[in-house]
Amino acid sequence: MSSIILMVLGLGGMALGFFVYSKFLAHVVFKLSDSFKTPAEEFEDGIDFVPTNKFVLWGHHFTSVAGAAPIVGPAIAVIWGWLPAFLWVTLGTIFFAGVHDFGAIWASVRNKAKSVGTLTGEVVGGRARAIFSIVIFLVLLMVNAVFGVVIAKLLINNPGAVVPVWGAIAVALVIGQAIYRAKMSLPLVSIVGVIALYFLIYIGPSMPVSLPDSVAGLSPSAAWIIILFVYAAIASLLPVWVLLQPRDYINGLQLFVGLAALYAAVLIANPTVVAPMINVDVPAGTPSMIPLLFVTIACGAISGFHGLVASGTTSKQLAKESDARFVGYFGATGEGALALAAIIAATAGFASLADWQAMYHSFGQGGVLAFVNGGATILSAGTGLDMAVAATMLTVMAALFAGTTMDTGLRLQRYIFQEWGEIYNIKWMAKPLPATLLSVGTCLALAFGAGGADGSGGLLIWPLFGTTNQLLAGLTLLVVTVMLVRKGSPTFYTLAPLVFVLAMSLFALLIQLKGFYDKADWFLFTMDLVVLVAAIFVTLECIAALKRAKAEMRLSSAGD
């Protein structure tokens, strides 16, 4: 199988989704109107509520939601064969992820930029909000704690990536000042910023940075994790235009250029997909493809974390309601393109089927390593780049994605604590600094309390991320669907994906529950049970709200 065929079919389908399907959603389902005053305009404060150019905001949304997950998930899921992963990423982006991200932004913007958790309370009920907040908190905790570990490992394994990863922050700070203070031309700033980032990537391998074996008694991994959380805490308190927005925007451009280079290399080198179309000889211990495929690949097909970003930071920066289509749907399309690149790198970046099988000798193998190694091989063959530079480029790509997600994730966790402070009248918790310290404290408590001295505790509950994250996506679509019913809009286009996602997620939770029981892993068994009960309860509450909304619409129609 030629990798060019996968690239053309995948990118072509996603392009049709954006140019055709998203327009239908905008006009017929969500009925966008620029006469509606967005929260960014209504509550502009220069810190969190900032009306933003849609291209800049797209960069924020795209890089915040992407993280390392659209690389890791697809590059693990190809163990079942390239076809199931390819179909789920392509169709999932068009009919699931785009609708979800677009819908979550719309729902939040129409409700004063409230988070999906708060919206659940208003649209469904207080009990559902309280239970739903547990799921949201767990997802954020997992993302922040684990991505700290992921970035630390990337920096340790490739010291040449340290300078470009941290140098990107300095570039972002300059760009923020250039755009908002100096009012410089956005295209000019963008070009200069991208050149600066790629210059850092070019010189990175010649300026490797490695931490000593002991930093104040900490291992290099633990030291990097603490440094990352200190940075993320500072970033979460700064006005969004100072660092978060410009960092996400310029990283988004850099990452899109990187994707373009990788796809160009595919066109030039035309590497053969050596992995099987459907792998009938999976390694022992590999779980059933259904339903695990649909939770292993979350980001890149549909992801509940996107709803948290969409309703947490993106909705507070939307200048015009019509921008929701470009920012939300096209943001999901960008992530789908990254997931497709991960599939191609992890299936066509190997010399032979035997080499591929050596990488995928057990379930859970592949991931970032397969993406970096396979992608670097394709880049080098197609563009002539030195392997070390190509590997650094892809490592930086993965690290920057994870870093921007961590930035946004910690800010979202701060919002959650602040919302809890307001809901339960805990005044000190409703303030930014205490809420940030609580966010960092809970993440570090998990990282070091459960993981010991190396700070890898977040990996302890990571096996539940896929199912918990997909449940969050389904429940977010439920809230959006209830809103659509009340507005008399078509609901099939959100109802169909939410039914599928909820069914696969609940099925996967049950399978995992049995697996944890068989292994006598009582901690994960208990966590799985908590998430399962919470999901069932919130689902039932949402179904009841959906029925009430439909009954209200019928009564309203009869009255007319």
Side-chain angles (χ1 to χ4, degrees), residues 339-503:
L340 179 63
I343 290 172
I344 293 173
T347 58
F350 295 85
S352 66
L353 175 60
D355 290 335
W356 182 85
Q357 289 172 330
M359 171 67 75
Y360 289 90
H361 57 82
S362 64
F363 183 72
Q365 299 301 308
V368 173
L369 183 62
F371 171 73
V372 170
N373 290 349
T377 300
I378 294 171
L379 263 176
S380 182
T383 65
L385 273 177
D386 179 77
M387 273 292 289
V389 174
T392 298
M393 178 177 166
L394 294 179
T395 299
V396 171
M397 182 185 290
L400 289 181
F401 267 127
T404 51
T405 300
M406 192 175 170
D407 287 2
T408 303
L410 200 69
R411 186 178 287 259
L412 291 173
Q413 206 166 1
R414 187 249 288 180
Y415 290 163
I416 294 295
F417 275 115
Q418 286 184 260
E419 286 183 358
W420 284 349
E422 291 169 1
I423 291 168
Y424 300 110
N425 198 28
I426 307 173
K427 293 182 180 180
W428 65 268
M429 190 188 290
K431 297 177 180 179
L433 182 57
T436 299
L437 293 176
L438 283 172
S439 301
V440 173
T442 51
C443 291
L444 291 179
L446 173 63
F448 290 94
D454 66 349
S456 62
L459 298 175
L460 187 66
I461 58 174
W462 187 248
L464 282 172
F465 172 75
T467 46
T468 307
N469 186 47
Q470 296 301 69
L471 278 171
L472 182 57
L475 297 175
T476 299
L477 284 171
L478 266 175
V479 173
V480 173
T481 303
V482 172
M483 285 184 59
L484 290 174
V485 169
R486 290 179 175 171
K487 291 183 177 293
S489 296
T491 57
F492 172 79
Y493 309 97
T494 56
L495 193 61
L498 85 82
V499 169
F500 181 84
V501 170
L502 277 181

Side-chain angles (χ1 to χ4, degrees), residues 22 70 90 127 195 374 419 423 448 458 520:
S22 73
T90 304
R127 289 180 301 178
I195 291 172
E419 286 183 358
I423 291 168
F448 290 94

Side-chain angles (χ1 to χ4, degrees), residues 181-491:
R181 287 284 175 86
K183 306 295 182 183
M184 293 177 65
S185 164
L186 182 61
L188 174 63
V189 171
S190 303
I191 292 169
V192 172
V194 169
I195 291 172
L197 285 181
Y198 274 99
F199 175 73
L200 290 171
I201 290 172
Y202 178 75
I203 66 172
S206 64
M207 301 174 63
V209 176
S210 298
L211 293 180
D213 292 338
S214 178
V215 181
L218 297 172
S219 67
S221 176
W224 275 128
I225 289 169
I226 290 176
I227 291 169
L228 286 163
F229 272 108
V230 169
Y231 156 73
I234 295 170
S236 76
L237 289 167
L238 290 173
V240 290
W241 67 268
V242 172
L243 180 57
L244 184 72
Q245 251 186 29
R247 172 171 157 82
D248 290 352
Y249 171 65
I250 200 65
N251 284 350
L253 289 180
Q254 181 260 329
L255 296 166
F256 233 58
V257 170
L259 273 179
L262 184 56
Y263 281 125
V266 170
L267 277 174
I268 296 167
N270 190 18
T272 300
V273 177
V274 298
M277 183 169 68
I278 296 177
N279 193 5
V280 295
D281 189 27
V282 294
T286 302
S288 169
M289 181 176 71
I290 298 176
L292 269 299
L293 170 70
F294 304 105
V295 296
T296 301
I297 301 178
C299 297
I302 182 171
S303 165
F305 180 72
H306 293 204
L308 300 183
V309 175
S311 65
T313 55
T314 304
S315 63
K316 293 178 175 64
Q317 301 170 62
L318 200 75
K320 297 188 299 182
E321 191 176 56
S322 60
D323 290 348
R325 170 179 165 260
F326 182 83
V327 174
Y329 197 100
F330 192 57
T333 302
E335 189 179 53
L338 174 61
L340 179 63
I343 290 172
I344 293 173
T347 58
F350 295 85
S352 66
L353 175 60
D355 290 335
W356 182 85
Q357 289 172 330
M359 171 67 75
Y360 289 90
H361 57 82
S362 64
F363 183 72
Q365 299 301 308
V368 173
L369 183 62
F371 171 73
V372 170
N373 290 349
T377 300
I378 294 171
L379 263 176
S380 182
T383 65
L385 273 177
D386 179 77
M387 273 292 289
V389 174
T392 298
M393 178 177 166
L394 294 179
T395 299
V396 171
M397 182 185 290
L400 289 181
F401 267 127
T404 51
T405 300
M406 192 175 170
D407 287 2
T408 303
L410 200 69
R411 186 178 287 259
L412 291 173
Q413 206 166 1
R414 187 249 288 180
Y415 290 163
I416 294 295
F417 275 115
Q418 286 184 260
E419 286 183 358
W420 284 349
E422 291 169 1
I423 291 168
Y424 300 110
N425 198 28
I426 307 173
K427 293 182 180 180
W428 65 268
M429 190 188 290
K431 297 177 180 179
L433 182 57
T436 299
L437 293 176
L438 283 172
S439 301
V440 173
T442 51
C443 291
L444 291 179
L446 173 63
F448 290 94
D454 66 349
S456 62
L459 298 175
L460 187 66
I461 58 174
W462 187 248
L464 282 172
F465 172 75
T467 46
T468 307
N469 186 47
Q470 296 301 69
L471 278 171
L472 182 57
L475 297 175
T476 299
L477 284 171
L478 266 175
V479 173
V480 173
T481 303
V482 172
M483 285 184 59
L484 290 174
V485 169
R486 290 179 175 171
K487 291 183 177 293
S489 296
T491 57

